[in-house]
């Protein structure tokens, strides 16, 4: 379903072979859609006394989950491409390399971009014409990532996640399953 729906065409990195999502999104999503449909049918029986036919499709689910990519295609006429961990609507909003691994962060609007540059001591990036607007940051995504990682690689991922969160810039560690299970959030 991931292959046939287009999901694999946008999963992975540019100029790399197609990749399936590590989590079976079509399977899990289809089960959720089936539950919603069953509950809606049950409400229909309770209210009108008539049964319903419930149909759930892996392909349909995967296609439905692709709403951003589909809208992008319908709006531009260009097939969406894989972006790795990047976001197609804004930049920077992705995984970044630190001195000891990767973390995710998002300075997904102009206010957060300004705050990020000042926090990193990289005010010159605010004056760089390649990065002055979200649109320009998207167009210059590779150069932007390279510039930010010059600074991010000077400290650990925990340092950057804590520093960014303290400044109200969205960030988080990239955890393995054992690390996720051991986290305070999972334990709670």
């Amino acid at each position: 379903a991931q292959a046939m729906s287009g999901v694999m065409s946008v999963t992975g990195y540019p100029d790399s072979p197609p990749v399936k999502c590590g989590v079976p999104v079509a399977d899990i999503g289809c089960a959720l859609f089936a539950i919603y449909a069953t509950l809606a049918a049950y409400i229909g029986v309770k209210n009108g006394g008539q049964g319903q036919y419930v149909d759930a499709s892996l392909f349909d689910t995967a296609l439905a989950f692709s709403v951003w990519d589909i809208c992008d295609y319908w709006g531009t006429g260009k097939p969406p491409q894989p972006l790795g961990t990047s976001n197609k609507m804004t930049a920077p909003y992705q995984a970044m390399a630190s001195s000891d691994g990767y973390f995710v962060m998002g300075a997904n609007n102009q206010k957060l971009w300004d705050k990020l540059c000042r926090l990193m001591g990289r005010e010159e990036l605010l004056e760089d014409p390649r990065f002055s607007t979200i649109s320009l940051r998207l167009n210059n995504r590779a150069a932007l990532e390279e510039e930010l990682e010059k600074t991010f690689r000077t400290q650990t991922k925990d340092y950057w996640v804590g520093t960014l969160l303290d400044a109200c810039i969205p960030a988080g560690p990239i955890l393995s399953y054992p690390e996720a299970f051991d986290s305070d959030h999972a334990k709670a």
Side-chain angles (χ1 to χ4, degrees):
Q2 286 187 33
M4 294 171 57
S5 67
V7 169
M8 285 180 64
S9 73
V10 297
T11 305
Y13 285 87
D15 302 319
S16 69
V19 177
K20 76 173 187 63
C21 297
V23 174
V25 293
D27 302 69
I28 294 168
C30 188
L32 290 172
F33 284 177
I35 290 167
Y36 297 146
T38 302
L39 291 173
Y42 178 73
I43 292 168
V45 166
K46 288 297 217 181
N47 290 338
Q50 191 168 11
Q52 303 290 317
Y53 174 76
V54 172
D55 177 41
S57 157
L58 294 172
F59 174 84
D60 295 353
T61 298
L63 202 57
F65 281 3
S66 302
V67 64
W68 282 11
D69 296 309
I70 292 166
C71 289
D72 186 27
Y73 172 63
W74 285 343
T76 66
K78 295 186 294 188
Q81 300 297 310
L83 296 171
T85 66
S86 298
N87 183 291
K88 67 175 63 266
M89 307 297 235
T90 189
Y93 191 31
Q94 65 196 78
M96 291 285 181
S98 69
S99 65
D100 67 345
Y102 287 86
F103 65 97
V104 292
M105 57 78 57
N108 56 330
N109 61 43
Q110 201 62 37
K111 180 180 175 183
L112 291 176
W113 170 245
D114 291 348
K115 189 185 286 191
L116 174 67
C117 292
R118 295 179 202 297
L119 180 72
M120 296 174 69
R122 298 290 308 272
E123 289 86 352
E124 79 277 6
L125 295 176
L126 295 171
E127 306 303 320
D128 191 318
R130 299 173 298 170
F131 311 135
S132 60
T133 66
I134 290 173
S135 180
L136 289 168
R137 289 192 291 278
L138 284 169
N139 290 338
N140 296 291
R141 186 189 313 270
L144 176 64
E145 181 177 343
E146 184 179 322
E147 284 298 327
L148 293 176
E149 286 187 345
K150 285 179 186 176
T151 302
F152 287 142
R153 287 179 184 273
T154 66
Q155 296 287 342
T156 66
K157 60 185 172 185
D158 288 342
Y159 169 84
W160 285 115
V161 168
T163 300
L164 294 170
L165 289 176
D166 286 347
C168 297
I169 298 172
I174 297 175
L175 304 176
S176 66
Y177 283 116
E179 292 168 324
F181 290 137
D182 195 43
S183 71
D184 291 340
H185 191 85
K187 288 176 183 175

